[in-house]
Amino acid sequence: MNLPGITMKKRYLLTATVVLSIVSLFIGVVDIKPSDLLDFESEETRLFLISRIPRLVAILLAGAGMSIAGLIMQSLSRNKFVSPTTAGTLDATKLGVLISMMFFTNVTYFQKISFAFLFALAGTLLFMQILNRIKFKDAIFIPLIGLMFGNILSSITTFFAYKADIIQNISAWLQGDFSLMMKGRYELLYISVPVLILAYIYANRFTVAGMGEDFAKNLGLSYKFIVNLGLVLVALISTTVVLTVGVIPFLGLIIPNIISLFKGDNLAKTLPHTALLGMSFLLFCDIIGRVLIFPYEIPISMTVGVIGSAIFLIMLFRGKAYA
Amino acid sequence: MRNRTKMLILLGLAVASILLYVFYGLNNNYHYAFPRRLIKVFAMSLTGIAIAYSTVVFQTITHNRILTPSVMGLDALYMLVQTFIFYFFGSMSIFVINAKYNFLLAVSAMVIFALIFYRVLFKEGKRPIYFLLLVGMIVGTFLGSVTTFFQVLIDPNEFLSLQSKMFASFNNVNSDLVWLAAVVIISTFIYGWRHMNQLDVMSLGRDTAINLGVPYDKLVQRMLILSSVLIAVSTALVGPITFFGLIVANLSYQYFKTYKHSVIIIGSCVMSIVALIGGQWMVERIFNFDTTLSVIINFVGGVYFIYLLLKESRSAG
């Protein structure tokens, strides 16, 4: 499909990201002017360093991370509609966090992370196993199974959370929200930096793995290793994002699809674009959420949920051509 | 076993679960607990009937066993309409305070939307069922997100005062609406009864049905309206329960092994009364409110749904 008049050049995406970043830095309850930052001792500069910059970094990392995670999953499963949202990864992560909270009275941060990670990995693996079992690989059938799989996982989560009386607790911090991103609360997201670098290094191999097991083995690729590596990367990204920011739905689904419309499926070429578009899309949604009911904020999961599901629907209806 | 016997067994179970729910552990508390339990039982029966009836009808007009009005986002739509009413008219308006006006407005908005939406969705006819299903679920998510979105925009104090009223649950049945709901359900039954046989013909497919003299398109439209009214009733009474209709309708097709709508509809209604009231009794007495019925339904329903999908896909592939 060709959309005349629109091109997805890297430099346009880069410009958009930079402009939106600057806008994002200077929006907020406290009015900060660029000139205030010249004074290193001022209240504004401190605020800038403690709140605004962490928030921006968090958005950029989460946006790039979730989009890349979606891209890897789509490439490995050879299905355009698979993503952390539609394969139960996010719900598995939630379940992991819940279980770590229930079984250890004083959960350390590390325990939470490792549990969530293990569950995210197990959930994604399980889903991939189900996929292998299904003979009938309709492009639309698979996300359907994935969504239901996620539903079942999350009803298990609700069941235990209800028993332990932590429903409110859970739903409060699982809702994706950037307003609490401050120094000391977002650093976990830095894990996704090496993950993204790894993804970039292995991009070519993911592309080959996406051509099918036989083909990949023929080309001398250790298929199992690449698939497992991809799943570990996806689980790592999902875990860090869910634990710091919360659940951001649809991001990993729509961004890679939009890019592959313009740029095709060669991961090494599309990775930077996907990351950039993910960043600028998330920045855009965040800015909308902050401006709409100023000085209050709408959580990011809601803005992305509305815009994302709308875009996904449009994709579905127009999609026949590339699904 | 003949269907009559099967039906009698079901009816017996229904009566048993109602009696159990109303009288178990009552301890002669006829002044306080008794009337409250009666209202609750009544509301749950109405909900069960509404969901079962609308699901069976909906499945017939869409020609499949997997789509249900709830899966296609109709109860999410009800929530959205309620939020809109609240957002645009304010908490003090007649449409919010008076349960009847509120209900009527919500239902008419829903019917209009459902007609347009399904006209668009089913217009081209030949779309694969999984496509419709995915679209329905995403539309549900979309409506849900928009609903929460507007709820955030509403003034928090105002919102809290209405939350319990708007978003009912099994433990918090919306009893203002019970009588109105009863009237609505009975009239849909009286109306629908005349079309019961036509529904049997409709399940043969569009061409055959038209050949046999059934005004197919007109009937689809009417049944769609009937479905959305019933879903509005059930959602207003106890809130959304996504997979319930799916389980009940499919189970009664398996149980009765017939395609006659008169049997299936009545059967699934009774079955859902058994499931809802019996289930709620277990949740209250055996699990001691340790969980909620809707969580159990969602879990069981989700597993059953995957099973149905896999079964269907095997026969298709």
Side-chain angles (χ1 to χ4, degrees):
Chain A
M1 194 156 79
N2 261 322
L3 300 186
I6 310 172
T7 45
M8 281 276 169
K9 289 236 175 71
K10 214 190 292 179
R11 58 168 182 276
Y12 296 154
L13 285 171
L14 196 63
T15 322
T17 313
V18 170
V19 170
L20 286 168
S21 303
I22 294 170
V23 174
S24 159
L25 281 178
F26 291 100
I27 285 182
V29 179
V30 176
D31 197 19
I32 300 179
K33 292 181 205 66
S35 56
D36 294 332
L37 299 177
L38 295 176
D39 178 6
F40 290 116
E41 300 294 310
S42 73
E43 192 65 17
E44 280 84 357
T45 314
R46 255 189 42 208
L47 195 86
F48 199 74
L49 291 179
I50 293 177
S51 158
R52 297 285 167 85
I53 290 191
R55 181 174 191 146
L56 176 67
V57 174
I59 295 174
L60 293 180
L61 286 178
M66 290 306 280
S67 324
I68 300 291
L71 183 61
I72 294 177
M73 285 180 90
Q74 282 154 27
S75 162
L76 290 182
S77 66
R78 279 180 284 162
N79 185 310
K80 286 275 179 245
F81 292 131
V82 171
S83 77
T85 329
T86 50
T89 310
L90 292 179
D91 300 283
T93 318
K94 274 195 235 174
L95 185 61
V97 178
L98 171 96
I99 289 190
S100 72
M101 275 167 87
M102 275 179 63
F103 284 101
F104 307 101
T105 30
N106 290 317
V107 216
T108 60
Y109 207 47
F110 182 72
Q111 278 168 337
K112 232 189 215 171
I113 297 166
S114 32
F115 255 86
F117 170 69
L118 283 180
F119 270 78
L121 193 59
T124 321
L125 263 175
L126 190 62
F127 180 71
M128 289 301 202
Q129 284 302 316
I130 298 179
L131 275 196
N132 282 338
R133 293 277 165 88
I134 298 173
K135 293 260 154 26
F136 173 62
K137 286 208 196 301
D138 189 288
I140 286 167
F141 184 67
I142 291 189
L144 212 51
I145 295 275
L147 281 175
M148 288 319 304
F149 180 60
N151 261 350
I152 294 174
L153 287 180
S154 81
S155 76
I156 296 176
T157 310
T158 326
F159 181 80
F160 285 115
Y162 196 88
K163 265 186 176 312
D165 249 338
I166 43 178
I167 288 248
Q168 228 183 358
N169 202 339
I170 287 236
S171 50
W173 58 251
L174 282 181
Q175 184 159 59
D177 195 351
F178 282 112
S179 60
L180 294 174
M181 288 300 123
M182 277 189 282
K183 208 172 164 194
R185 303 193 65 153
Y186 77 106
E187 281 78 0
L188 183 63
L189 277 173
Y190 281 121
I191 292 182
S192 50
V193 174
V195 171
L196 291 181
I197 295 173
L198 258 181
Y200 192 70
I201 296 174
Y202 277 92
N204 276 328
R205 271 160 266 194
F206 287 135
T207 314
V208 176
M211 292 170 179
E213 187 169 358
D214 299 338
F215 192 85
K217 278 186 178 156
N218 245 344
L219 289 180
L221 191 78
S222 104
Y223 181 76
K224 275 257 157 54
F225 171 72
I226 292 298
V227 170
N228 288 336
L229 177 76
L231 294 184
V232 168
L233 296 185
V234 167
L236 263 177
I237 294 177
S238 309
T239 312
T240 52
V241 171
V242 167
L243 278 177
T244 46
V245 185
V247 174
I248 309 174
F250 291 111
L251 197 60
L253 188 66
I254 52 175
I255 302 294
N257 271 301
I258 295 175
I259 293 296
S260 87
L261 267 186
F262 292 98
K263 289 278 163 193
D265 292 326
N266 184 350
L267 247 65
K269 274 192 185 150
T270 57
L271 258 175
H273 295 83
T274 310
L276 282 173
L277 187 66
M279 289 178 188
S280 42
F281 178 75
L282 203 58
L283 272 169
F284 176 71
C285 290
D286 185 59
I287 291 171
I288 289 184
R290 284 154 87 181
V291 172
L292 222 63
I293 47 170
F294 188 83
Y296 306 105
E297 276 190 27
I298 299 169
I300 188 80
S301 59
M302 244 169 248
T303 12
V304 176
V306 173
I307 303 177
S309 48
I311 295 182
F312 186 42
L313 277 177
I314 297 172
M315 274 171 30
L316 271 178
F317 271 99
R318 303 186 53 177
K320 286 270 163 64
Y322 65 96
Chain B
M1 230 183 336
R2 282 185 316 157
N3 277 340
R4 182 181 296 270
T5 344
K6 286 182 181 171
M7 189 69 94
L8 282 177
I9 293 174
L10 261 189
L11 275 174
L13 277 177
V15 171
S17 53
I18 289 175
L19 290 180
L20 203 57
Y21 189 84
V22 173
F23 289 108
Y24 184 85
L26 191 61
N27 298 334
N28 282 331
N29 190 348
Y30 283 99
H31 294 295
Y32 184 77
F34 188 62
R36 276 166 186 75
R37 286 189 184 185
L38 275 188
I39 287 282
K40 233 175 137 177
V41 161
F42 194 40
M44 282 193 287
S45 316
L46 290 175
T47 312
I49 293 173
I51 292 179
Y53 189 14
S54 67
T55 306
V56 173
V57 168
F58 192 82
Q59 294 191 337
T60 302
I61 55 180
T62 53
H63 294 295
N64 77 90
R65 296 280 187 74
I66 297 181
L67 299 185
T68 73
S70 310
V71 174
M72 298 301 285
L74 264 185
D75 46 13
L77 179 65
Y78 177 83
M79 293 299 197
L80 180 66
V81 170
Q82 282 296 354
T83 310
F84 270 158
I85 292 176
F86 194 46
Y87 185 73
F88 288 115
F89 295 106
S91 66
M92 285 303 140
S93 87
I94 184 111
F95 293 116
V96 172
I97 292 171
N98 188 317
K100 294 184 186 78
Y101 285 122
N102 172 283
F103 184 72
L104 290 179
L105 186 62
V107 166
S108 22
M110 254 178 90
V111 168
I112 293 168
F113 183 88
L115 278 181
I116 298 172
F117 179 54
Y118 293 108
R119 177 66 58 86
V120 172
L121 206 51
F122 291 107
K123 181 184 58 180
E124 285 153 55
K126 281 297 156 205
R127 287 192 194 282
I129 179 113
Y130 304 121
F131 176 83
L132 298 177
L133 203 48
L134 192 61
V135 167
M137 292 180 85
I138 301 296
V139 165
T141 323
F142 175 68
L143 296 176
S145 310
V146 176
T147 308
T148 353
F149 193 82
F150 272 91
Q151 282 165 6
V152 174
L153 298 187
I154 291 172
D155 180 70
N157 299 320
E158 268 206 333
F159 176 68
L160 267 181
S161 71
L162 248 102
Q163 194 178 22
S164 62
K165 201 177 164 194
M166 264 168 45
F167 302 110
S169 70
F170 282 103
N171 299 328
N172 173 32
V173 170
N174 197 345
S175 45
D176 301 356
L177 279 174
V178 168
W179 297 110
L180 181 67
V183 172
V184 172
I185 288 179
I186 290 169
S187 28
T188 49
F189 250 92
I190 293 171
Y191 173 77
W193 198 254
R194 296 187 299 142
H195 296 295
M196 218 57 109
N197 295 332
Q198 287 180 320
L199 278 176
D200 293 343
V201 180
M202 268 172 88
S203 54
L204 296 175
R206 187 167 184 271
D207 297 344
T208 323
I210 292 177
N211 238 345
L212 289 170
V214 171
Y216 187 85
D217 293 326
K218 213 185 257 176
L219 203 57
V220 164
Q221 204 155 350
R222 285 186 191 157
M223 289 298 135
L224 210 51
I225 295 176
L226 188 138
S227 244
S228 13
V229 171
L230 286 171
I231 284 297
V233 172
S234 81
T235 318
L237 280 175
V238 302
I241 354 176
T242 315
F243 293 112
F244 189 64
L246 178 90
I247 306 177
V248 175
N250 279 294
L251 280 185
S252 58
Y253 271 111
Q254 272 185 3
Y255 183 63
F256 287 110
K257 297 206 170 49
T258 174
Y259 291 91
K260 271 190 135 27
H261 281 80
S262 48
V263 178
I264 293 294
I265 288 177
I266 305 270
S268 59
C269 288
V270 179
M271 201 179 273
S272 61
I273 291 176
V274 175
L276 278 188
I277 297 179
Q280 182 64 19
W281 180 78
M282 288 216 281
V283 164
E284 286 182 15
R285 302 293 154 190
I286 296 177
F287 295 113
N288 284 320
F289 284 110
D290 250 1
T291 182
T292 62
L293 187 54
S294 40
V295 171
I296 300 178
I297 291 175
N298 267 348
F299 178 73
V300 176
V303 174
Y304 188 59
F305 190 74
I306 288 198
Y307 162 76
L308 280 181
L309 280 177
L310 289 177
K311 203 176 85 178
E312 191 98 335
S313 85
R314 218 160 288 148
S315 59

